[in-house]
Amino acid sequence: MTDLHIGENLGQANGFVQMHVKQLKHFINGEFVQTTGVEFFDLISPVNGQIYAQSPNATQQDVDYAYDCAKAAFKVWRRSTPSMRQKALLDFADALEKNAEQLVETQSIETGQLKHMIAAEEIKTSVDHIRFFAGAARCLEGKATAEYLDGFTSSIRREPIGVVGQVAPWNYPLLMAVWKIAPALAAGNTVVLKPSDTTPNSTLQLAEIAAPFFPKGAINVILGLADAGSKVVSHPVPAMVSITGSVRAGLQVAASAASNLAKAHLELGGKAPVLVFEDADLEKATDAISVAGFFNAGQDCTAAARVLVQESIFDEFVEKMVAKTKQIHCGLPDDETALFGALNNQRQLVHVKGFLDRLPAHAKIVTGGKQVTQYSGFYFEPTIICGLEQHDEAIQNEIFGPIVTIQTFKDEADALDKANDVEFGLASSVWTNDHSRSMRFSRDLDFGTVWVNAHIPLTAEMPHGGFKKSGYGKDLSSYGFEEYTRIKHVMSAYED
């Protein structure tokens, strides 16, 4: 596959000649399908604020058709063997790898991300994760078949759930779509996926790449605004609904799932504490935290956005962090010297600015704090804020921008109290050379991931997911794969 339909007429990401504005279509039953409605909305590139395409807002008829096709495909795909599913996913991964360059171009236009970052962190990682789930398809586990009750033999069947409704976010649109569809398909399910309204193109391209290797209707992509997402997750067909997104959206999805007794899988926001103790290697810590805090413009639920530093080293730590932050800059998609690109959309730029506008008098911006005006898009300086108190909005709420806050703590008890004193529970990190301390905090931090002397790396073999209002359910790993299966007990009577 060399000429992808959705990639046509999207223009150049950096030169940004005036682009032909095309109307996108849904991807249903293995082909691009015109909406049955008349409502379209503009897609605006965060690189320069220009309209580059228009997206349909799905009607109920569009969503019904997608689910009808997914139901039909499930009858076929559910009977595929693990080796068949593995082969299809491996072929899909190979095709994705071959089309990497065009995917990078497409996504850089709609997200403003750096091309080298998309290639390394989304394309390469997506290929790896698809291949992981291809292997997971052949490694189902369960209790041994045996006689647990005299006269009866029991066995466990692990089966696909059925049709799955999914909603993906805009911060890593390609990778998050893969996290949704790869485990679902590996387990024998079919999907109806709605990408974010601001970043549909790379997901459409992904579906087109995958389509030849799966039954028609196994992968369906519905476009639209929030109401289209509501139609997807509230529909009576899916046996499971899954979302990566905000707490507000997660609560709505959970309520919709409950009304249909569908299984819910929620990966929501985060406010990761980064605990730096006085015995930590400050050079290594500030190197890593400055990257983990500003990577992808801070638009990451696990970003190192909330740093807590022991009082005795606070001044030294801040000095080093400010120095390293001043060496970081945002840039256009082709800038290989930049750490991050644009904020995803105008709403997000306003959201980030709002936190700074509402800072209390006791807070201090020690570096950054302004929109970058040398570009015409939605760019913002890497920013550090000190002096905030635990109850302040910027400590308690997810900013999702290139902003890192730095607080102090007195001792271990104070550090733990402040770290856990947020409604989120997705990820955290501890920076110390004291092994016993790292083990205590790994136990006591109320977060789904605890990194020790690191922050933000992920691997397909380990689960990603949180506690509290960060949601429930795991992505990645065998645990994430099992989320997309159901367990059936088969008991057979026999006579000796």
Side-chain angles (χ1 to χ4, degrees):
M1 182 180 299
T2 57
D3 185 20
L4 297 173
H5 172 84
I6 192 61
E8 296 172 1
N9 301 320
L10 289 181
Q12 300 174 2
N14 286 325
F16 264 86
V17 295
Q18 182 62 42
M19 291 178 284
H20 173 70
V21 175
K22 68 175 296 182
Q23 288 189 337
L24 303 182
K25 299 178 181 179
H26 307 301
F27 190 86
I28 304 174
N29 208 35
E31 61 184 359
F32 288 97
V33 176
Q34 184 69 49
T35 181
T36 58
V38 296
E39 183 183 357
F40 284 80
F41 57 92
D42 293 335
L43 297 178
I44 298 172
S45 174
V47 179
N48 71 347
Q50 290 185 13
I51 298 170
Y52 67 91
Q54 290 185 322
S55 172
N57 193 28
T59 65
Q60 189 63 53
Q61 186 176 344
D62 295 337
V63 176
D64 289 345
Y65 177 51
Y67 274 119
D68 286 344
C69 294
K71 282 175 60 179
F74 179 63
K75 292 179 181 179
V76 177
W77 189 239
R78 69 177 301 181
R79 299 194 180 279
S80 60
T81 64
S83 63
M84 292 166 62
R85 297 198 293 272
Q86 181 190 48
K87 176 66 164 56
L89 285 161
L90 290 175
D91 289 345
F92 171 28
D94 290 346
L96 177 58
E97 198 168 43
K98 290 176 183 177
N99 285 282
E101 185 175 344
Q102 191 166 352
L103 280 162
V104 168
E105 291 293 330
T106 297
Q107 188 159 298
S108 67
I109 293 168
E110 66 181 358
T111 65
Q113 292 169 300
L114 305 172
K115 291 181 183 178
H116 69 85
M117 190 280 287
I118 299 171
E121 302 297 334
E122 291 208 52
I123 304 294
K124 184 178 179 180
T125 304
S126 291
V127 169
D128 176 69
H129 290 180
I130 293 169
R131 288 172 177 158
F132 169 81
F133 285 114
R138 301 187 72 167
C139 297
L140 293 168
E141 295 183 355
K143 282 186 175 291
T145 298
E147 288 68 48
Y148 297 94
L149 183 65
D150 187 35
F152 297 87
T153 296
S154 286
S155 62
I156 293 294
R157 290 181 58 87
R158 189 175 285 277
E159 301 177 338
I161 291 176
V163 179
V164 182
Q166 302 175 317
V167 177
W170 47 253
N171 56 331
Y172 300 105
L174 183 72
L175 182 61
M176 295 297 97
V178 166
W179 283 19
K180 296 298 180 197
I181 67 174
L185 293 170
N189 303 289
T190 58
V191 303
V192 174
L193 170 67
K194 195 199 89 69
S196 168
D197 58 299
T198 65
T199 57
N201 288 288
S202 58
T203 305
L204 289 170
Q205 205 168 87
L206 184 74
E208 185 182 12
I209 291 169
F213 310 112
F214 301 92
K216 285 187 175 181
I219 305 169
N220 306 279
V221 178
I222 287 290
L223 307 185
L225 299 167
D227 60 316
S230 296
K231 292 181 178 72
V232 169
V233 299
S234 64
H235 201 277
V237 165
M240 175 179 176
V241 292
S242 173
I243 182 174
T244 299
S246 68
V247 173
R248 176 189 53 78
L251 290 170
Q252 293 172 349
V253 170
S256 294
S259 68
N260 291 318
L261 289 180
K263 182 178 181 181
H265 178 280
L266 312 175
E267 198 277 274
L268 309 177
K271 193 68 177 177
V274 181
L275 305 178
V276 184
F277 286 89
E278 61 187 0
D279 66 333
D281 184 325
L282 292 192
E283 199 64 37
K284 290 182 179 179
T286 51
D287 275 342
I289 294 168
S290 59
V291 172
F294 299 120
F295 181 78
N296 201 35
Q299 298 171 131
D300 189 308
C301 293
T302 63
R306 183 168 63 103
V307 183
L308 297 106
V309 182
Q310 198 155 18
E311 287 178 342
S312 59
I313 59 167
F314 178 76
D315 291 340
E316 182 182 2
F317 180 89
V318 171
E319 182 180 355
K320 287 180 179 295
M321 271 292 291
V322 169
K324 289 176 180 179
T325 300
K326 287 181 176 179
Q327 296 172 9
I328 292 171
H329 69 277
C330 57
L332 295 171
D334 280 323
D335 187 350
E336 295 190 0
T337 69
L339 179 64
F340 62 89
L343 292 170
N344 180 261
N345 55 74
Q346 179 69 38
R347 294 191 306 271
Q348 190 60 22
L349 178 62
V350 171
H351 173 79
V352 170
K353 284 182 173 181
F355 275 90
L356 298 183
D357 292 341
R358 296 187 300 271
L359 282 177
H362 53 261
K364 180 182 179 182
I365 298 173
V366 294
T367 188
K370 299 187 296 295
Q371 183 176 353
V372 176
T373 57
Q374 71 185 88
Y375 308 125
S376 54
F378 312 137
Y379 291 84
F380 204 85
E381 294 178 332
T383 300
I384 294 177
I385 305 172
C386 294
L388 287 165
E389 297 175 1
Q390 188 64 23
H391 63 273
D392 287 332
E393 175 194 32
I395 297 298
Q396 292 294 321
N397 297 335
E398 189 173 32
I399 300 175
F400 224 58
I403 296 177
V404 171
T405 64
I406 307 179
Q407 299 168 265
T408 63
F409 65 82
K410 296 177 182 179
D411 52 25
E412 286 192 9
D414 188 33
L416 186 63
D417 286 345
K418 288 177 177 175
N420 286 336
D421 183 28
V422 291
E423 65 180 9
F424 302 99
L426 185 57
S428 59
S429 64
V430 180
W431 297 77
T432 181
N433 286 317
D434 184 330
H435 177 71
S436 294
R437 175 185 288 144
S438 70
M439 292 298 96
R440 289 194 299 274
F441 274 82
S442 297
R443 176 195 63 198
D444 294 335
L445 282 166
D446 198 12
F447 296 84
T449 295
V450 179
W451 289 289
V452 178
N453 294 327
H455 196 104
I456 225 167
L458 296 172
T459 180
E461 292 80 2
M462 289 291 124
H464 174 77
F467 310 139
K468 300 189 291 188
K469 287 192 176 179
S470 289
Y472 45 81
K474 299 296 182 184
D475 289 317
L476 301 178
S477 79
S478 60
Y479 301 101
F481 176 62
E482 289 174 0
E483 295 272 345
Y484 289 90
T485 67
R486 67 183 188 182
I487 298 170
K488 179 185 289 182
H489 171 214
V490 179
M491 179 179 272
S492 178
Y494 70 91
E495 295 182 2
D496 288 327

